[in-house]
mmCIF file of all heavy atoms in Angstrom:
data_model
loop_
_atom_site.group_PDB
_atom_site.id
_atom_site.type_symbol
_atom_site.label_atom_id
_atom_site.label_comp_id
_atom_site.label_asym_id
_atom_site.label_seq_id
_atom_site.Cartn_x
_atom_site.Cartn_y
_atom_site.Cartn_z
ATOM 1 N N PRO M 115 111.230 100.350 109.212
ATOM 2 C CA PRO M 115 112.006 99.106 109.281
ATOM 3 C C PRO M 115 112.830 98.823 108.035
ATOM 4 O O PRO M 115 112.606 99.395 106.954
ATOM 5 C CB PRO M 115 110.906 98.051 109.416
ATOM 6 C CG PRO M 115 109.769 98.628 108.613
ATOM 7 C CD PRO M 115 109.853 100.119 108.795
ATOM 8 N N ARG M 116 113.749 97.919 108.200
ATOM 9 C CA ARG M 116 114.443 97.292 107.092
ATOM 10 C C ARG M 116 114.361 95.788 107.314
ATOM 11 O O ARG M 116 113.984 95.341 108.397
ATOM 12 C CB ARG M 116 115.899 97.744 106.993
ATOM 13 C CG ARG M 116 116.732 97.347 108.198
ATOM 14 C CD ARG M 116 118.195 97.711 108.033
ATOM 15 N NE ARG M 116 118.963 97.151 109.134
ATOM 16 C CZ ARG M 116 119.450 97.871 110.151
ATOM 17 N NH1 ARG M 116 119.236 99.177 110.204
ATOM 18 N NH2 ARG M 116 120.130 97.296 111.104
ATOM 19 N N GLY M 117 114.682 95.009 106.294
ATOM 20 C CA GLY M 117 114.553 93.556 106.399
ATOM 21 C C GLY M 117 115.890 92.889 106.621
ATOM 22 O O GLY M 117 116.603 92.594 105.671
ATOM 23 N N ASP M 118 116.207 92.605 107.853
ATOM 24 C CA ASP M 118 117.513 92.035 108.169
ATOM 25 C C ASP M 118 117.609 90.541 107.883
ATOM 26 O O ASP M 118 118.673 90.037 107.553
ATOM 27 C CB ASP M 118 117.871 92.316 109.621
ATOM 28 C CG ASP M 118 118.382 93.739 109.836
ATOM 29 O OD1 ASP M 118 118.477 94.484 108.834
ATOM 30 O OD2 ASP M 118 118.664 94.106 110.981
ATOM 31 N N HIS M 119 116.526 89.813 108.089
ATOM 32 C CA HIS M 119 116.497 88.380 107.794
ATOM 33 C C HIS M 119 115.123 88.022 107.247
ATOM 34 O O HIS M 119 114.110 88.520 107.751
ATOM 35 C CB HIS M 119 116.787 87.531 109.032
ATOM 36 C CG HIS M 119 118.185 87.645 109.536
ATOM 37 N ND1 HIS M 119 118.566 88.571 110.485
ATOM 38 C CD2 HIS M 119 119.321 86.978 109.205
ATOM 39 C CE1 HIS M 119 119.848 88.468 110.711
ATOM 40 N NE2 HIS M 119 120.341 87.519 109.959
ATOM 41 N N TRP M 120 115.111 87.164 106.236
ATOM 42 C CA TRP M 120 113.889 86.789 105.548
ATOM 43 C C TRP M 120 113.684 85.285 105.587
ATOM 44 O O TRP M 120 114.645 84.512 105.474
ATOM 45 C CB TRP M 120 113.955 87.226 104.077
ATOM 46 C CG TRP M 120 114.123 88.690 103.850
ATOM 47 C CD1 TRP M 120 115.127 89.504 104.312
ATOM 48 C CD2 TRP M 120 113.268 89.531 103.073
ATOM 49 N NE1 TRP M 120 114.946 90.789 103.886
ATOM 50 C CE2 TRP M 120 113.817 90.834 103.110
ATOM 51 C CE3 TRP M 120 112.102 89.316 102.334
ATOM 52 C CZ2 TRP M 120 113.227 91.925 102.458
ATOM 53 C CZ3 TRP M 120 111.522 90.392 101.680
ATOM 54 C CH2 TRP M 120 112.076 91.677 101.748
ATOM 55 N N GLY M 121 112.416 84.858 105.720
ATOM 56 C CA GLY M 121 112.094 83.459 105.521
ATOM 57 C C GLY M 121 112.071 83.142 104.038
ATOM 58 O O GLY M 121 112.384 83.997 103.202
ATOM 59 N N GLN M 122 111.716 81.928 103.709
ATOM 60 C CA GLN M 122 111.678 81.513 102.313
ATOM 61 C C GLN M 122 110.343 81.790 101.646
ATOM 62 O O GLN M 122 110.216 81.652 100.427
ATOM 63 C CB GLN M 122 112.034 80.032 102.183
ATOM 64 C CG GLN M 122 113.526 79.777 102.321
ATOM 65 C CD GLN M 122 114.338 80.655 101.376
ATOM 66 O OE1 GLN M 122 114.195 80.610 100.155
ATOM 67 N NE2 GLN M 122 115.212 81.512 101.943
ATOM 68 N N GLY M 123 109.348 82.157 102.426
ATOM 69 C CA GLY M 123 108.079 82.580 101.853
ATOM 70 C C GLY M 123 107.039 81.478 101.787
ATOM 71 O O GLY M 123 107.369 80.294 101.748
ATOM 72 N N THR M 124 105.773 81.906 101.766
ATOM 73 C CA THR M 124 104.649 81.004 101.571
ATOM 74 C C THR M 124 103.732 81.625 100.522
ATOM 75 O O THR M 124 103.471 82.828 100.547
ATOM 76 C CB THR M 124 103.909 80.729 102.890
ATOM 77 O OG1 THR M 124 102.912 79.723 102.685
ATOM 78 C CG2 THR M 124 103.242 81.969 103.472
ATOM 79 N N LEU M 125 103.287 80.810 99.584
ATOM 80 C CA LEU M 125 102.541 81.311 98.430
ATOM 81 C C LEU M 125 101.047 81.346 98.720
ATOM 82 O O LEU M 125 100.456 80.345 99.136
ATOM 83 C CB LEU M 125 102.818 80.429 97.216
ATOM 84 C CG LEU M 125 102.156 80.847 95.909
ATOM 85 C CD1 LEU M 125 102.659 82.230 95.474
ATOM 86 C CD2 LEU M 125 102.418 79.804 94.822
ATOM 87 N N VAL M 126 100.462 82.497 98.475
ATOM 88 C CA VAL M 126 99.017 82.688 98.594
ATOM 89 C C VAL M 126 98.453 82.946 97.208
ATOM 90 O O VAL M 126 98.918 83.844 96.499
ATOM 91 C CB VAL M 126 98.687 83.870 99.526
ATOM 92 C CG1 VAL M 126 97.200 84.186 99.502
ATOM 93 C CG2 VAL M 126 99.160 83.570 100.947
ATOM 94 N N THR M 127 97.464 82.165 96.825
ATOM 95 C CA THR M 127 96.807 82.329 95.538
ATOM 96 C C THR M 127 95.323 82.558 95.773
ATOM 97 O O THR M 127 94.656 81.723 96.392
ATOM 98 C CB THR M 127 97.004 81.094 94.649
ATOM 99 O OG1 THR M 127 98.408 80.835 94.490
ATOM 100 C CG2 THR M 127 96.381 81.308 93.275
#
Side-chain angles (χ1 to χ4, degrees):
Chain M
R116 64 176 187 254
D118 281 358
H119 292 91
W120 300 57
Q122 283 308 300
T124 187
L125 182 62
V126 172
T127 304

